[in-house]
Structures are given as C-alpha cells and as structure tokens.
Amino acid sequence: MRHIAYVFVPVLLVGVATGASPASAAGCDKACLERVAAEYHAAWLAHDPSRAPLARKVRFSENNVELTLPDGSWATVSEAVGTPLVLSDPKTGNVGLYTTVLQSKEIQTYAAIRLKVQGGRITEAEHILSTKRNLSSPPTPFGDIYKNPRDPDFTRVVPVAERASREELKQQANGYFATLENNNGEIRGIRFSPVATRNENGMNFPEIEKGFKSGRYGFNNRVRDRDCMVVDEERSAVMCRGFIDHKGVVDYVQLTDGTRQKSVFQEPHTWSFLESFKVKNGVVTAVEATFTAAPYYIKSPFTKKPDPVYDAIKPSGK
C-alpha cells in the first residue's frame, strides 16, 4: 500500500484589499490553492481538521448531504493510494482533486473533492465518494483503486497555443452533458479526440464518441444542475458537478444500428458526479469522473439555482 508524500510550496498570500490581480482575486494564487488542497487531503487522512487551513465557518457536504465538519468519512478514511489529480482556479478560488483512498483499512473508495478558498482559508468542502457498497443496483462502473487507469496527461500544463479559453472549457463540458441527456446518437456541442478516453471510478472507457453515437445512453432522461466550478486554464481542464436522472419509465432504447436494448433503470434513480474534461486544440482528450448512486432527484446544497422540476418523459409501452 502506498502513502502520499506532499511537497509544500511556500507562497505569498495577497489579499484583495492589497490590490490582488484578477488572476488571484480570491487571495490565493495557483500554488496557494494547490498547497491548501494538499493540506486538506493530509488533514482528512489524519482525522485532524486542525491541520487544514479552515475558515471559522465551513460548509461541508458528503454525497450531497450537508454535515458538520468533521463527520462522515473524516472518521473512516485510513490511507491514500496513488497520487491525486489536482485542478485549480485562482479566478474563482476553487480547487478540485480526485483521489483514491481506503476507508476502515479495506473499503476501496474513489473520492472527488472540491474546495472553495477565500483569503487562503477553506470556506466550502464538497465530497463525492464512491464505494461498492453505496452503488445500488444498477451499479455504475467501479475499478480496483490500485490499477486506476487515469490519463497521465490530465495534470500536465498545456502550451498556450493549444489551450481552450475558460468559456470554451465550459461549453465543451456542457456539450458533453447535452449529448448524454436523451442520447440518440447526436453529438451536441462537443468535439472529441479519436483517442479520448473516460476514466470513471477507475474503469477505462475508450472511444467515447463511438459510445455516444450508438445511442446507448438513451435512458438518461436528464442531466441537470450542471455547474462547472473549477476552470484550470494552465492545464486546459474543467471540473463540473451534475446529476443524471432516470425516471424509470423508459423500458427500451433503440440504438442507432437498430438494436433494441432494455433499460436497466426500471425505477426512479439518480447518479451524482464530479466530472472533469481535458481540452487541447479544440477537442476533448480525456475525461475523469467520480460517480455515485443517489436518491432520485437529490440536489447539492451548493447549487444556487436548481433546475425546475419537469416531466417531459411519458411512460413507454411494455
């Protein structure tokens, strides 16, 4: 089992009142945000919130339930495996990380964490944790944390000429979600590299575009409350929150090759996720996601304006 070793980079925290530039308006530049994320991760593993730079008041949620920090996995996380993927956004003061850990020394766990940092202090902490236990049937994919096939390019800095703008990163992510919602083979507002892969809870899915063009995700009735909170301009990547709803009324979907496929969702069901996209030269090259099952139509306590309830899907015939 491998433990994480962090190298902390000394940084100067410059407050807004002293004339911070727009690039670090939250009072914490990129190095600062990533140091804060490392300190939080280490404090979580040590079950000791005093080791993290927490603000006096911190909003904390785990799998979309707001808790008092420390609670939830703060009591059970026992060891980190591998190296976290970190994305940071000095313009908004958000930093995200994907990490693999053990809980209670044996429960393999995929964890996605978003932190909001103001003046070098954490004001929000959001966890999405996925284990085999909390993935109710039908389960989302779940791979061995010791074999996590993450694209190594995800954390690399992208040359300026190959980067996407902040707006383009968000547009590509939204195009992905639009393509996933009521998937019928159309590609809606996103471009994929031919070799783009998705790493979802440690399971690798190649040929992402081919999967979308097959229409195999037609049972996804809605991808709602989409919010891209972390835009890492140097790495040309973006981290987003969202929910995929299955109303349980789509019995079959017809794939684009004419195959009739029975839906595994025969009851109301939601997937909750934190998902990130790497974009280079105008195309998505990699996707990293932590998914977990959730009560139908659950909402995040951090979603400011949830999408309205709708009922556009009618029951289909048996």
Side-chain angles (χ1 to χ4, degrees), residues 60-72:
F60 168 56
S61 75
E62 195 156 273
N63 287 357
N64 304 295
V65 177
E66 195 152 10
L67 303 171
T68 300
L69 193 154
D71 200 347

Side-chain angles (χ1 to χ4, degrees), residues 91-141:
K91 288 189 177 179
T92 65
N94 282 287
V95 58
L97 63 151
Y98 293 89
T99 184
T100 44
V101 299
L102 295 176
Q103 293 188 73
S104 303
K105 299 182 180 180
E106 61 181 86
I107 305 302
Q108 294 195 16
T109 305
Y110 287 89
I113 298 172
R114 178 195 64 88
L115 305 174
K116 174 75 172 181
V117 180
Q118 294 181 303
R121 296 284 173 179
I122 298 166
T123 60
E124 296 178 357
E126 175 180 8
H127 292 187
I128 294 295
L129 304 184
S130 185
T131 69
K132 288 185 177 180
R133 179 196 61 78
N134 65 20
L135 290 176
S136 62
S137 182
T140 191

